[in-house]
Amino acid sequence: MTTALPEDSWLLRIQPQPARVTAAEYEALPEEIARAIEIVDGYVVFCEAPTPDHQTAGRRLANLLERHARRAMARGHGCLTVNNDVDLRLRDIPLLNRSPDVILYRCLDRAAGERLRAEHALLVIEIVSPGSETQDTTDKLGEYARAGIAHYWIARLDNDGVTSIERYALDRATLLYKHLGTFMKDEAGGAPEVTNPIPITIDWDDLLF
């Protein structure tokens, strides 16, 4: 049995996107519009405004990475940059453009207008929000892996700050991520450390709100 929708139903007002967005069209968008959307397979995905806790966590994680990136550069790792919510081009056709919460990448040639692409990225971090569980743990997990990004972390929060970090490393033979383990804030044993993509010590106090 089929039930007709009321004439004022919001479902009847939904209009399908008429055509896929191309890379050229995306690059021509005003910055304030581009920052509010992501493009997945050419289709616009609107990004919800992050909560204050989400923004704070992103800033704390970026500060942590930047401190270790500077140390890595001093030891000969080359030029590294850390950013929040910056455009990351994963694919041109169909266009796939994401804005990771935090990203560590090799420095770009800004004078030449070089665009941030997957081959520059060393580590991407996404912070799970109530409405982003599927995107962060399934969709982006597959997209970042297929794009060849070597390391992916998923951070989770509570009212006090970052509580856990799931770590994934790329298997280049299959272009799938392997789960390396999960750091938990309350685990015994001191601040956890990683050596790749650069040496990083996770000091949980630095990730408090």
Side-chain angles (χ1 to χ4, degrees):
M1 178 178 178
T2 302
T3 302
L5 292 170
E7 291 185 2
D8 62 348
S9 171
W10 62 270
L11 284 171
L12 297 177
R13 297 194 296 272
I14 295 176
Q15 297 296 321
Q17 185 176 316
R20 289 181 174 180
V21 176
T22 67
E25 289 169 337
Y26 178 78
E27 289 160 14
L29 290 174
E31 183 178 355
E32 63 270 19
I33 294 177
R35 289 180 62 85
I37 63 174
E38 293 178 323
I39 308 294
V40 179
D41 291 338
Y43 294 103
V44 173
V45 176
F46 290 94
C47 302
E48 293 185 12
T51 65
D53 282 354
H54 191 284
Q55 288 181 310
T56 301
R59 190 166 65 250
R60 297 280 191 271
L61 285 162
N63 290 341
L64 176 75
L65 284 187
E66 189 166 52
R67 185 168 66 252
H68 288 90
R70 291 183 182 278
R71 293 174 184 170
M73 286 191 287
R75 296 169 185 159
H77 275 260
C79 185
L80 302 172
T81 302
V82 177
N83 250 315
N84 299 93
D85 300 315
V86 65
D87 278 353
L88 172 62
R89 179 66 51 83
L90 299 175
R91 186 177 61 233
D92 285 324
I93 302 174
L95 182 61
L96 181 54
N97 211 84
R98 288 293 193 181
S99 300
D101 290 323
V102 187
I103 180 170
L104 168 70
Y105 58 96
R106 302 190 189 282
C107 295
L108 307 177
D109 186 345
R110 290 182 291 178
E114 189 173 22
R115 172 175 290 279
L116 177 58
R117 293 181 176 272
E119 57 262 32
H120 302 118
L122 301 176
L123 167 64
V124 165
I125 303 177
E126 295 288 1
I127 301 165
V128 175
S129 298
S132 72
E133 179 80 28
T134 299
Q135 280 194 52
D136 294 337
T137 63
T138 303
D139 299 345
K140 292 180 182 179
L141 187 79
E143 291 168 5
Y144 292 146
R146 288 191 294 273
I149 295 174
H151 296 273
Y152 180 45
W153 293 2
I154 298 174
R156 296 178 184 275
L157 316 177
D158 66 9
N159 293 331
D160 298 320
V162 178
T163 59
S164 70
I165 297 175
E166 300 171 28
R167 297 180 301 121
Y168 296 86
L170 185 66
D171 179 346
R172 294 198 177 274
T174 62
L175 288 183
L176 296 173
Y177 280 127
K178 177 182 178 181
H179 184 218
L180 299 180
T182 301
F183 293 140
M184 305 294 294
K185 183 179 71 173
D186 296 329
E187 280 184 333
E193 299 181 354
V194 300
T195 56
N196 287 308
I198 59 172
I200 301 170
T201 300
I202 310 296
D203 188 335
W204 296 108
D205 288 342
D206 290 341
L207 302 180
L208 294 176
F209 295 158

